[in-house]
Coordinates of all heavy atoms in Angstrom, one line a residue:
M1 N 15.2 64.2 183.6 CA 14.5 64.2 182.4 C 15.4 64.5 181.2 O 16.2 65.4 181.2 CB 13.5 65.4 182.4 CG 12.6 65.4 181.2 SD 11.1 66.5 181.2 CE 11.3 67.6 182.5
L2 N 15.4 63.6 180.2 CA 16.2 63.7 179.1 C 15.5 64.3 177.9 O 14.5 63.9 177.5 CB 16.7 62.3 178.7 CG 17.4 61.5 179.7 CD1 17.6 60.0 179.3 CD2 18.7 62.1 180.1
S3 N 16.1 65.4 177.3 CA 15.6 66.0 176.1 C 16.3 65.5 174.9 O 17.3 66.0 174.5 CB 15.7 67.5 176.2 OG 15.3 68.1 175.0
Q4 N 15.8 64.4 174.4 CA 16.4 63.7 173.3 C 16.0 64.3 172.0 O 14.8 64.4 171.7 CB 16.1 62.2 173.4 CG 16.4 61.6 174.7 CD 15.8 60.2 174.8 OE1 15.0 59.8 173.9 NE2 16.3 59.4 175.7
P5 N 17.0 64.7 171.1 CA 16.6 65.1 169.8 C 16.2 64.0 168.9 O 16.7 62.8 169.1 CB 17.9 65.8 169.3 CG 19.0 65.1 170.0 CD 18.4 64.7 171.4
F6 N 15.4 64.2 167.9 CA 15.0 63.2 166.9 C 16.1 63.2 165.9 O 16.7 64.2 165.6 CB 13.7 63.6 166.3 CG 12.5 63.5 167.2 CD1 11.5 64.4 167.1 CD2 12.3 62.5 168.1 CE1 10.4 64.4 167.9 CE2 11.2 62.4 169.0 CZ 10.2 63.4 168.8
E7 N 16.3 62.1 165.3 CA 17.3 62.0 164.1 C 16.8 62.8 163.0 O 17.6 63.4 162.3 CB 17.5 60.5 163.7 CG 18.3 59.7 164.7 CD 18.5 58.3 164.3 OE1 18.3 58.0 163.0 OE2 18.8 57.5 165.1
K8 N 15.5 62.9 162.8 CA 14.9 63.7 161.7 C 13.6 64.3 162.3 O 12.8 63.7 162.9 CB 14.4 62.8 160.6 CG 13.8 63.5 159.4 CD 13.4 62.5 158.3 CE 12.7 63.2 157.2 NZ 12.2 62.3 156.2
P9 N 13.5 65.7 162.2 CA 12.4 66.4 162.8 C 11.0 65.9 162.2 O 11.0 65.3 161.1 CB 12.6 67.8 162.4 CG 14.0 67.9 162.0 CD 14.4 66.6 161.5
V10 N 10.0 66.0 163.0 CA 8.6 65.8 162.5 C 8.0 67.1 162.3 O 8.0 68.0 163.2 CB 7.9 65.0 163.6 CG1 6.4 64.7 163.2 CG2 8.6 63.6 163.9
R11 N 7.4 67.3 161.2 CA 6.6 68.5 160.9 C 5.2 68.3 160.8 O 4.7 67.3 160.3 CB 7.1 69.1 159.5 CG 8.5 69.6 159.6 CD 9.1 70.2 158.3 NE 9.0 69.0 157.3 CZ 8.8 69.2 156.0 NH1 8.6 70.4 155.5 NH2 8.8 68.2 155.2
V12 N 4.4 69.1 161.5 CA 3.0 69.0 161.6 C 2.3 70.3 161.2 O 2.9 71.4 161.4 CB 2.5 68.6 163.1 CG1 3.0 67.2 163.4 CG2 3.0 69.6 164.1
W13 N 1.1 70.2 160.8 CA 0.3 71.4 160.5 C -0.4 71.9 161.8 O -0.9 71.2 162.5 CB -0.8 71.1 159.5 CG -0.3 70.7 158.1 CD1 -0.5 69.5 157.5 CD2 0.4 71.5 157.2 NE1 0.1 69.5 156.3 CE2 0.6 70.8 156.0 CE3 0.8 72.9 157.2 CZ2 1.3 71.2 154.9 CZ3 1.5 73.3 156.1 CH2 1.7 72.6 155.0
V14 N -0.3 73.2 162.0 CA -0.9 73.9 163.2 C -1.7 75.1 162.7 O -1.4 75.6 161.6 CB 0.1 74.3 164.3 CG1 0.8 73.0 164.8 CG2 1.1 75.2 163.7
G15 N -2.6 75.5 163.5 CA -3.3 76.8 163.2 C -4.0 76.7 161.8 O -4.6 75.7 161.5
L16 N -3.8 77.7 161.0 CA -4.5 77.8 159.7 C -3.5 77.3 158.6 O -3.2 78.0 157.6 CB -4.9 79.3 159.5 CG -5.9 79.8 160.4 CD1 -6.1 81.3 160.2 CD2 -7.2 79.1 160.2
G17 N -3.0 76.1 158.8 CA -2.1 75.5 157.8 C -0.7 76.0 157.9 O 0.1 76.0 156.9
F18 N -0.2 76.3 159.0 CA 1.2 76.7 159.2 C 2.0 75.4 159.7 O 1.5 74.8 160.7 CB 1.4 77.8 160.2 CG 0.8 79.1 159.7 CD1 -0.5 79.5 160.1 CD2 1.5 79.9 158.9 CE1 -1.0 80.7 159.7 CE2 1.0 81.1 158.4 CZ -0.3 81.5 158.8
P19 N 3.1 75.1 159.1 CA 3.9 74.0 159.6 C 4.6 74.3 160.9 O 5.1 75.5 161.1 CB 4.8 73.7 158.4 CG 5.0 75.0 157.7 CD 3.7 75.7 157.9
R20 N 4.7 73.3 161.7 CA 5.6 73.5 162.9 C 6.5 72.3 163.0 O 6.1 71.2 162.7 CB 4.7 73.4 164.2 CG 5.5 73.5 165.5 CD 4.6 73.6 166.7 NE 5.4 73.5 167.9 CZ 4.8 73.4 169.1 NH1 3.5 73.5 169.2 NH2 5.6 73.3 170.2
Q21 N 7.8 72.5 163.2 CA 8.8 71.5 163.3 C 9.0 71.1 164.7 O 9.3 71.9 165.6 CB 10.1 72.0 162.6 CG 11.1 70.9 162.5 CD 12.2 71.3 161.6 OE1 12.0 71.5 160.4 NE2 13.4 71.4 162.1
L22 N 9.0 69.8 165.0 CA 9.2 69.2 166.3 C 10.6 68.5 166.2 O 10.7 67.5 165.5 CB 8.1 68.2 166.7 CG 6.7 68.8 166.6 CD1 5.6 67.7 166.8 CD2 6.5 70.0 167.5
N23 N 11.5 69.0 166.9 CA 12.9 68.6 166.8 C 13.3 67.6 167.9 O 14.3 66.9 167.7 CB 13.9 69.7 166.9 CG 13.7 70.7 165.7 OD1 13.7 70.3 164.6 ND2 13.5 71.9 166.0
S24 N 12.5 67.5 169.0 CA 12.9 66.6 170.1 C 11.7 66.1 170.8 O 10.6 66.5 170.5 CB 13.8 67.5 171.1 OG 13.0 68.4 171.7
V25 N 12.0 65.2 171.8 CA 10.9 64.6 172.6 C 10.2 65.7 173.3 O 9.0 65.7 173.4 CB 11.5 63.5 173.5 CG1 10.4 63.1 174.5 CG2 12.1 62.4 172.8
V26 N 11.0 66.7 173.9 CA 10.3 67.8 174.6 C 9.4 68.6 173.7 O 8.3 68.9 174.1 CB 11.4 68.7 175.2 CG1 10.8 70.0 175.8 CG2 12.1 68.0 176.3
D27 N 9.8 68.9 172.5 CA 9.0 69.6 171.5 C 7.7 68.8 171.3 O 6.6 69.3 171.2 CB 9.7 69.8 170.1 CG 10.8 70.8 170.2 OD1 10.9 71.5 171.2 OD2 11.6 70.8 169.2
A28 N 7.8 67.5 171.0 CA 6.7 66.6 170.8 C 5.8 66.6 172.0 O 4.5 66.7 171.8 CB 7.2 65.3 170.4
Y29 N 6.3 66.5 173.2 CA 5.5 66.4 174.4 C 4.7 67.7 174.6 O 3.5 67.6 174.8 CB 6.4 66.1 175.6 CG 5.6 66.1 176.9 CD1 4.8 65.0 177.2 CD2 5.7 67.1 177.8 CE1 4.1 64.9 178.4 CE2 5.0 67.0 179.0 CZ 4.2 65.9 179.3 OH 3.5 65.9 180.5
Q30 N 5.3 68.8 174.4 CA 4.6 70.1 174.5 C 3.5 70.1 173.4 O 2.4 70.6 173.8 CB 5.6 71.3 174.3 CG 6.5 71.4 175.5 CD 7.6 72.4 175.3 OE1 7.9 72.8 174.1 NE2 8.2 72.9 176.3
F31 N 3.8 69.7 172.2 CA 2.8 69.7 171.2 C 1.6 68.9 171.5 O 0.4 69.3 171.4 CB 3.4 69.4 169.8 CG 2.4 69.3 168.7 CD1 1.9 70.5 168.1 CD2 1.9 68.1 168.3 CE1 0.9 70.4 167.1 CE2 0.9 68.0 167.3 CZ 0.4 69.2 166.7
V32 N 1.8 67.6 171.8 CA 0.7 66.7 172.1 C -0.1 67.1 173.3 O -1.3 66.9 173.4 CB 1.1 65.2 172.1 CG1 1.6 64.8 170.7 CG2 2.1 64.9 173.2
M33 N 0.6 67.7 174.3 CA -0.1 68.2 175.5 C -1.0 69.4 175.2 O -2.1 69.5 175.8 CB 0.8 68.5 176.6 CG 1.5 67.3 177.3 SD 0.4 66.2 178.1 CE -0.2 67.2 179.4
D34 N -0.6 70.2 174.3 CA -1.4 71.4 173.9 C -2.5 71.0 172.9 O -3.4 71.9 172.6 CB -0.5 72.4 173.3 CG 0.4 73.1 174.3 OD1 0.1 73.0 175.5 OD2 1.4 73.7 173.9
W35 N -2.5 69.8 172.3 CA -3.5 69.4 171.3 C -4.8 69.4 172.0 O -5.0 68.8 173.1 CB -3.1 68.0 170.8 CG -4.0 67.5 169.7 CD1 -5.0 66.5 169.8 CD2 -4.1 67.9 168.3 NE1 -5.6 66.3 168.7 CE2 -5.0 67.1 167.7 CE3 -3.3 68.8 167.6 CZ2 -5.3 67.2 166.4 CZ3 -3.6 68.9 166.2 CH2 -4.6 68.1 165.6
C36 N -5.8 70.1 171.5 CA -7.1 70.3 172.1 C -8.1 69.2 172.1 O -9.2 69.3 172.6 CB -7.8 71.6 171.5 SG -6.8 73.1 171.8
R37 N -7.7 68.1 171.5 CA -8.7 67.0 171.4 C -8.2 65.9 172.3 O -7.1 65.9 172.9 CB -8.8 66.5 170.0 CG -9.4 67.6 169.1 CD -8.8 67.6 167.7 NE -9.2 68.7 166.9 CZ -8.5 69.7 166.6 NH1 -7.3 69.8 167.1 NH2 -8.9 70.7 165.9
N38 N -9.0 64.9 172.5 CA -8.7 63.8 173.4 C -9.0 62.5 172.6 O -10.1 62.2 172.2 CB -9.6 63.9 174.6 CG -9.2 62.8 175.7 OD1 -8.2 62.2 175.5 ND2 -10.1 62.7 176.6
S39 N -7.9 61.8 172.2 CA -8.1 60.6 171.4 C -7.1 59.6 171.9 O -6.1 59.9 172.6 CB -7.8 60.9 170.0 OG -6.4 61.2 169.8
P40 N -7.4 58.3 171.6 CA -6.4 57.2 172.0 C -5.0 57.5 171.4 O -4.0 57.2 172.1 CB -7.0 56.0 171.4 CG -8.5 56.3 171.2 CD -8.5 57.8 170.9
E41 N -4.9 58.0 170.2 CA -3.7 58.3 169.5 C -2.9 59.4 170.3 O -1.7 59.3 170.5 CB -3.8 58.7 168.1 CG -4.4 57.6 167.2 CD -6.0 57.7 167.2 OE1 -6.6 58.5 167.9 OE2 -6.5 56.8 166.5
Q42 N -3.6 60.4 170.7 CA -3.0 61.4 171.5 C -2.4 60.9 172.8 O -1.3 61.2 173.2 CB -4.0 62.6 171.8 CG -3.3 63.7 172.6 CD -4.4 64.8 173.0 OE1 -5.6 64.5 172.9 NE2 -3.9 65.9 173.5
K43 N -3.3 60.1 173.5 CA -2.8 59.5 174.8 C -1.6 58.6 174.6 O -0.7 58.7 175.4 CB -4.0 58.7 175.4 CG -5.1 59.6 175.9 CD -6.2 58.8 176.4 CE -7.4 59.7 176.8 NZ -8.6 58.9 177.2
A44 N -1.6 57.9 173.5 CA -0.4 57.0 173.2 C 0.9 57.9 173.0 O 2.0 57.6 173.5 CB -0.7 56.1 172.0
A45 N 0.7 59.0 172.3 CA 1.8 59.9 172.0 C 2.3 60.5 173.3 O 3.5 60.6 173.5 CB 1.4 60.9 171.0
I46 N 1.4 60.9 174.2 CA 1.8 61.5 175.5 C 2.6 60.5 176.3 O 3.6 60.8 176.8 CB 0.6 62.0 176.2 CG1 0.0 63.2 175.5 CG2 0.9 62.3 177.7 CD1 -1.4 63.7 176.0
R47 N 2.0 59.2 176.4 CA 2.7 58.2 177.1 C 4.1 57.9 176.6 O 5.1 57.7 177.3 CB 1.9 56.9 177.1 CG 0.7 56.9 178.0 CD 0.1 55.5 178.2 NE -0.2 54.9 177.0 CZ -1.4 55.0 176.4 NH1 -2.4 55.7 176.9 NH2 -1.7 54.4 175.2
A48 N 4.2 57.9 175.2 CA 5.5 57.6 174.6 C 6.5 58.7 174.9 O 7.7 58.5 175.2 CB 5.4 57.4 173.1
C49 N 6.1 60.0 174.8 CA 7.0 61.1 175.2 C 7.4 61.0 176.6 O 8.6 61.3 176.9 CB 6.3 62.4 174.8 SG 6.1 62.8 173.1
K50 N 6.5 60.8 177.5 CA 6.8 60.7 178.9 C 7.9 59.6 179.1 O 8.8 59.7 179.9 CB 5.6 60.4 179.8 CG 4.7 61.6 180.0 CD 3.5 61.3 180.9 CE 2.7 62.5 181.2 NZ 1.5 62.1 182.1
A51 N 7.6 58.4 178.5 CA 8.6 57.3 178.6 C 10.0 57.7 178.1 O 11.0 57.3 178.7 CB 8.0 56.1 178.0
A52 N 10.0 58.4 177.0 CA 11.3 58.8 176.4 C 12.0 59.8 177.3 O 13.2 59.8 177.5 CB 11.1 59.4 175.0
L53 N 11.2 60.7 177.9 CA 11.8 61.7 178.8 C 12.3 61.1 180.1 O 13.3 61.5 180.7 CB 10.7 62.8 179.1 CG 10.4 63.7 178.0 CD1 9.1 64.6 178.4 CD2 11.5 64.6 177.6
A54 N 11.7 60.0 180.5 CA 12.2 59.3 181.7 C 13.3 58.3 181.3 O 13.8 57.6 182.2 CB 11.0 58.5 182.3
G55 N 13.6 58.1 180.0 CA 14.7 57.2 179.6 C 14.3 55.8 179.5 O 15.1 54.9 179.4
E56 N 13.0 55.5 179.5 CA 12.5 54.2 179.4 C 12.4 53.6 178.0 O 12.5 52.4 177.8 CB 11.1 54.1 180.0 CG 11.1 54.5 181.5 CD 9.7 54.7 182.1 OE1 8.7 54.6 181.4 OE2 9.6 55.1 183.3
I57 N 12.3 54.6 177.0 CA 12.3 54.2 175.6 C 13.2 55.2 174.9 O 13.5 56.3 175.5 CB 10.9 54.1 175.0 CG1 10.2 55.5 174.9 CG2 10.1 53.1 175.6 CD1 8.9 55.5 174.1
D58 N 13.6 54.9 173.7 CA 14.5 55.9 173.0 C 13.6 56.9 172.3 O 12.4 56.7 172.0 CB 15.4 55.1 172.0 CG 14.7 54.3 171.0 OD1 14.2 55.0 170.0 OD2 14.7 53.1 171.1
A59 N 14.2 58.0 171.8 CA 13.6 59.0 171.2 C 12.9 58.6 169.8 O 11.8 59.1 169.5 CB 14.5 60.2 170.9
E60 N 13.6 57.7 169.1 CA 13.0 57.3 167.8 C 11.8 56.5 168.0 O 10.9 56.5 167.1 CB 14.1 56.6 167.0 CG 15.2 57.5 166.6 CD 14.8 58.8 165.9 OE1 14.1 58.7 164.9 OE2 15.1 59.9 166.4
T61 N 11.6 55.7 169.1 CA 10.4 55.0 169.3 C 9.3 56.0 169.5 O 8.2 55.9 169.0 CB 10.6 54.1 170.5 OG1 11.6 53.1 170.2 CG2 9.3 53.3 170.8
A62 N 9.5 57.0 170.4 CA 8.6 58.1 170.6 C 8.2 58.8 169.4 O 7.1 59.1 169.1 CB 9.1 59.0 171.7
R63 N 9.2 59.1 168.5 CA 9.0 59.8 167.3 C 8.1 59.0 166.4 O 7.2 59.5 165.8 CB 10.3 60.0 166.5 CG 10.2 60.7 165.2 CD 11.5 60.7 164.4 NE 11.4 61.5 163.2 CZ 10.8 61.1 162.1 NH1 10.3 59.8 162.1 NH2 10.7 61.9 161.0
G64 N 8.2 57.6 166.3 CA 7.4 56.8 165.5 C 5.9 56.9 165.9 O 5.0 56.9 165.1
I65 N 5.7 56.9 167.2 CA 4.3 57.0 167.8 C 3.8 58.3 167.5 O 2.6 58.5 167.1 CB 4.3 56.6 169.3 CG1 4.7 55.1 169.4 CG2 3.0 56.9 169.9 CD1 5.0 54.7 170.8
L66 N 4.6 59.4 167.6 CA 4.2 60.7 167.3 C 3.8 60.8 165.8 O 2.7 61.4 165.5 CB 5.3 61.7 167.6 CG 5.0 63.2 167.1 CD1 3.9 63.8 167.9 CD2 6.3 64.0 167.2
V67 N 4.5 60.3 164.9 CA 4.2 60.3 163.5 C 2.9 59.6 163.2 O 2.1 60.1 162.4 CB 5.4 59.6 162.7 CG1 5.0 59.3 161.2 CG2 6.6 60.6 162.7
Q68 N 2.7 58.5 163.9 CA 1.4 57.8 163.7 C 0.2 58.6 164.2 O -0.8 58.7 163.5 CB 1.4 56.4 164.4 CG 2.3 55.4 163.8 CD 2.0 55.2 162.3 OE1 0.8 55.0 161.9 NE2 3.0 55.3 161.4
F69 N 0.4 59.3 165.3 CA -0.6 60.2 165.8 C -0.9 61.3 164.8 O -2.1 61.5 164.5 CB -0.2 60.8 167.2 CG -0.8 62.1 167.5 CD1 -2.1 62.1 167.9 CD2 -0.1 63.3 167.4 CE1 -2.8 63.3 168.3 CE2 -0.7 64.5 167.8 CZ -2.0 64.5 168.2
A70 N 0.2 61.9 164.3 CA 0.0 63.0 163.4 C -0.6 62.5 162.0 O -1.5 63.2 161.5 CB 1.3 63.7 163.1
R71 N -0.2 61.4 161.6 CA -0.8 60.8 160.4 C -2.3 60.5 160.5 O -3.1 60.9 159.7 CB 0.0 59.6 160.0 CG -0.4 59.1 158.6 CD 0.5 58.0 158.1 NE 1.8 58.6 157.7 CZ 3.0 58.1 158.0 NH1 3.1 57.1 158.8 NH2 4.1 58.7 157.5
R72 N -2.7 59.9 161.6 CA -4.1 59.6 161.9 C -5.0 60.9 162.0 O -6.1 60.9 161.7 CB -4.2 58.8 163.2 CG -3.7 57.4 163.1 CD -4.6 56.4 162.3 NE -5.9 56.4 162.9 CZ -6.4 55.4 163.5 NH1 -5.7 54.3 163.7 NH2 -7.7 55.4 163.9
K73 N -4.4 62.0 162.5 CA -5.1 63.2 162.6 C -5.0 64.1 161.4 O -5.4 65.3 161.4 CB -4.6 64.0 163.9 CG -4.9 63.2 165.1 CD -6.3 62.8 165.3 CE -6.5 61.9 166.5 NZ -7.9 61.3 166.5
D74 N -4.3 63.6 160.3 CA -4.1 64.4 159.1 C -3.4 65.7 159.3 O -3.7 66.7 158.7 CB -5.5 64.6 158.4 CG -6.1 63.3 157.8 OD1 -5.3 62.5 157.4 OD2 -7.3 63.2 157.8
I75 N -2.4 65.7 160.2 CA -1.7 66.9 160.4 C -0.2 66.7 160.2 O 0.6 67.6 160.3 CB -1.9 67.5 161.9 CG1 -1.4 66.5 162.9 CG2 -3.3 67.9 162.1 CD1 -1.3 67.0 164.3
L76 N 0.2 65.6 159.7 CA 1.6 65.3 159.4 C 2.0 65.9 158.1 O 1.2 65.8 157.1 CB 1.8 63.8 159.3 CG 3.3 63.3 159.0 CD1 4.2 63.7 160.2 CD2 3.4 61.9 158.8
V77 N 3.0 66.7 158.1 CA 3.6 67.2 156.8 C 4.5 66.2 156.3 O 5.6 65.9 156.8 CB 4.4 68.5 157.1 CG1 4.9 69.1 155.8 CG2 3.5 69.6 157.8
E78 N 4.1 65.5 155.2 CA 4.9 64.5 154.6 C 6.0 65.1 153.8 O 6.0 66.2 153.4 CB 4.0 63.7 153.6 CG 2.8 63.0 154.2 CD 3.2 61.7 155.0 OE1 4.3 61.3 155.0 OE2 2.2 61.2 155.6
D79 N 7.1 64.3 153.7 CA 8.3 64.8 152.9 C 7.8 65.3 151.5 O 7.1 64.6 150.8 CB 9.3 63.7 152.8 CG 10.0 63.4 154.1 OD1 10.0 64.3 155.0 OD2 10.6 62.3 154.2
G80 N 8.3 66.4 151.1 CA 8.1 66.9 149.8 C 6.8 67.7 149.7 O 6.5 68.3 148.6
M81 N 6.0 67.8 150.8 CA 4.7 68.5 150.7 C 5.0 70.0 150.9 O 5.6 70.4 151.8 CB 3.8 68.0 151.9 CG 2.4 68.6 151.8 SD 1.4 68.0 153.2 CE 1.1 66.3 152.6
M82 N 4.6 70.8 149.9 CA 4.9 72.2 149.9 C 3.8 73.0 150.5 O 4.0 74.1 151.1 CB 5.2 72.7 148.5 CG 6.4 72.1 147.9 SD 7.9 72.3 148.9 CE 8.2 74.0 148.6
S83 N 2.6 72.6 150.4 CA 1.5 73.4 151.0 C 0.4 72.4 151.5 O 0.4 71.3 151.2 CB 0.8 74.3 149.9 OG 0.3 73.5 148.9
M84 N -0.4 72.9 152.4 CA -1.4 72.1 153.0 C -2.4 71.6 151.9 O -2.9 72.4 151.1 CB -2.2 72.9 154.0 CG -3.1 72.0 154.8 SD -3.7 72.9 156.3 CE -4.7 71.7 157.0
P85 N -2.7 70.3 151.9 CA -3.6 69.8 150.9 C -5.0 70.2 151.1 O -5.4 70.5 152.3 CB -3.5 68.3 151.0 CG -3.0 68.1 152.5 CD -2.2 69.3 152.8
A86 N -5.8 70.3 150.1 CA -7.2 70.6 150.2 C -7.9 69.4 150.9 O -7.5 68.3 150.6 CB -7.9 70.9 148.8
P87 N -8.9 69.7 151.8 CA -9.6 68.6 152.4 C -10.2 67.7 151.4 O -10.6 68.1 150.3 CB -10.6 69.3 153.3 CG -10.1 70.7 153.5 CD -9.3 71.0 152.3
T88 N -10.4 66.5 151.7 CA -11.0 65.5 150.8 C -12.3 66.0 150.3 O -13.2 66.4 151.1 CB -11.2 64.1 151.5 OG1 -9.9 63.8 152.0 CG2 -11.7 63.1 150.6
G89 N -12.6 65.9 149.0 CA -13.8 66.2 148.4 C -13.9 67.7 148.0 O -14.8 68.1 147.3
W90 N -12.9 68.5 148.3 CA -12.8 69.9 147.8 C -12.1 70.0 146.5 O -11.2 69.2 146.2 CB -12.1 70.8 148.8 CG -12.8 71.1 150.0 CD1 -13.8 70.3 150.6 CD2 -12.6 72.2 150.9 NE1 -14.2 71.0 151.8 CE2 -13.5 72.1 152.0 CE3 -11.7 73.3 150.8 CZ2 -13.6 73.0 153.0 CZ3 -11.8 74.2 151.9 CH2 -12.7 74.1 152.9
P91 N -12.5 70.9 145.7 CA -11.8 71.1 144.4 C -10.3 71.4 144.6 O -10.0 72.1 145.6 CB -12.5 72.2 143.7 CG -13.8 72.3 144.4 CD -13.6 71.8 145.8
S92 N -9.5 70.9 143.8 CA -8.0 71.1 144.0 C -7.6 72.6 143.8 O -6.5 72.9 144.3 CB -7.2 70.2 143.1 OG -7.5 70.4 141.8
H93 N -8.3 73.3 143.1 CA -7.9 74.7 142.8 C -8.2 75.7 144.0 O -7.9 76.8 143.9 CB -8.6 75.2 141.5 CG -10.1 75.4 141.6 ND1 -10.9 74.3 141.5 CD2 -10.9 76.4 141.9 CE1 -12.2 74.7 141.6 NE2 -12.2 76.0 141.9
L94 N -8.9 75.2 145.0 CA -9.2 76.0 146.2 C -8.1 76.0 147.2 O -7.4 75.2 147.4 CB -10.5 75.6 146.9 CG -11.8 75.7 146.0 CD1 -13.0 75.2 146.8 CD2 -12.0 77.2 145.6

């Protein structure tokens, strides 16, 4: 099993708006396995991480799939984002 680091970490929101940094395929695999929901995006991220750990795909391919998963679930911390955004429809001052 290869623990490949990402060229650039992926940051995701966890818990009550706390960011978590995923630095490698192993970090990403642990995160998506612990994700409490069941979705096609999650399954794709798990498959990609397993493939990267087995050396079947490179870490950056798995990272790209992880980013898509996080973006679809609105948990991706985009570059330059300082705080968790208010949910859609909420006043910005909350």
Side-chain angles (χ1 to χ4, degrees):
M1 183 167 20
L2 303 171
S3 177
Q4 304 169 348
F6 294 140
E7 288 181 18
K8 180 180 177 186
V10 176
R11 291 179 298 148
V12 292
W13 295 113
V14 296
L16 297 171
F18 293 99
R20 177 175 173 188
Q21 185 164 298
L22 308 174
N23 297 307
S24 68
V25 174
V26 169
D27 290 347
Y29 180 72
Q30 290 171 340
F31 176 76
V32 294
M33 289 298 292
D34 289 343
W35 184 255
C36 296
R37 292 145 189 106
N38 187 12
S39 69
E41 297 88 1
Q42 178 187 15
K43 290 177 185 176
I46 290 169
R47 283 192 306 272
C49 289
K50 284 182 178 180
L53 291 170
E56 297 168 1
I57 64 173
D58 62 72
E60 292 310 302
T61 300
R63 183 188 182 281
I65 294 168
L66 173 69
V67 166
Q68 290 305 311
F69 158 72
R71 189 170 282 135
R72 290 286 302 252
K73 299 303 172 190
D74 291 326
I75 60 169
L76 182 65
V77 178
E78 300 283 357
D79 288 338
M81 188 179 286
M82 296 304 290
S83 62
M84 188 168 180
T88 304
W90 285 26
S92 61
H93 66 279
L94 295 179

